[in-house]
Amino acid sequence: MAKAREFDEQKALTEAMHVFWEKGYEATSLSDLTSRMGIQKSSLYAAYGDKLSLFESALRTYNQLHAKSVRLKLNKMTSVKTAFELLFLEGALPNGTHERNGCFCINTMVELAPHDAKFEILTREHQQYLAAIFEDTLERGVTSGEIDGSVNCRAIAHSLVAAFIGITVLKKSNPNREWIDNCVNSALSLLTAPTLSNGQKS
């Protein structure tokens, strides 16, 4: 009979997620991980596999939390336009992590995705999931009459995800508020520019 774990695996995984989020994959050592997780290296290997496998599990955990946080923020407001504005200005980082850490998934997209097919897929899938959440929100706005019924919700959702990623990365350099406001206002102008279903302007 296998010996029961002597630590909370989910809690330890969450701690590992924060270490990787703060430092990235390459800069994180096993000592960094075991110290924050409160376990020995042997326990880390037994429970999660090697460092890369632990990183993958941490990223999957983050992606679930992040998507949930984004959906909750967009569903919080009756006005779709106001919901997107708040999301873009405030971000949607789970567990109250300081935004200077950026988005863990976006950081991984930059660090590992160009060199590792698995992380290319994982980060792309998260972008697609965010796009689906954005599209659902836009369709809610069309149904309520807040968003013009001729808009191409899918195309706008894709553009908003790209803008959201860019603004999230930009925030890591602590730009002035005017810069952020201008970027957000430009991105959200898509919500007031009617576009026909075939992608051509009316």
Side-chain angles (χ1 to χ4, degrees), residues 86-160:
L86 290 176
L87 175 69
F88 275 61
L89 288 174
E90 299 175 6
L93 300 178
N95 300 324
T97 298
H98 194 281
E99 67 181 16
R100 290 292 294 277
N101 286 337
C103 169
F104 182 19
C105 186
I106 295 173
N107 296 346
T108 303
M109 182 174 62
V110 174
E111 182 183 16
L112 295 183
H115 317 292
D116 190 307
K118 178 182 291 185
F119 291 102
E120 175 190 343
I121 292 170
L122 282 176
T123 55
R124 184 171 64 244
E125 286 178 343
H126 188 56
Q127 295 167 42
Q128 292 170 340
Y129 193 64
L130 291 180
I133 295 173
F134 283 14
E135 186 175 353
D136 287 346
T137 305
L138 290 167
E139 289 176 348
R140 176 161 58 88
V142 170
T143 299
S144 70
E146 184 182 6
I147 303 294
D148 191 294
S150 68
V151 300
N152 183 333
C153 289
R154 177 163 296 182
I156 291 178
H158 291 172
S159 296
L160 289 176

Side-chain angles (χ1 to χ4, degrees), residues 7-9 11-45 48-59 104:
F7 63 94
D8 186 327
E9 289 188 48
K11 181 179 179 181
L13 178 59
T14 299
E15 293 298 332
M17 179 190 77
H18 281 284
V19 177
F20 282 129
W21 190 352
E22 293 163 11
K23 305 187 71 171
Y25 177 75
E26 292 295 342
T28 297
S29 68
L30 285 176
S31 295
D32 293 330
L33 292 166
T34 55
S35 176
R36 183 77 73 89
M37 296 167 76
I39 61 176
Q40 300 297 316
K41 289 182 182 179
S42 58
S43 296
L44 186 156
Y45 288 126
Y48 309 102
D50 58 15
K51 177 184 170 183
L52 191 62
S53 297
L54 175 59
F55 184 89
E56 180 183 345
S57 296
L59 178 62
F104 182 19

Side-chain angles (χ1 to χ4, degrees), residues 70-84:
V70 168
R71 187 179 289 280
L72 285 173
K73 181 152 284 195
L74 288 176
N75 288 340
K76 187 176 182 180
M77 307 296 295
T78 302
S79 167
V80 166
K81 293 178 182 178
T82 300
F84 273 113

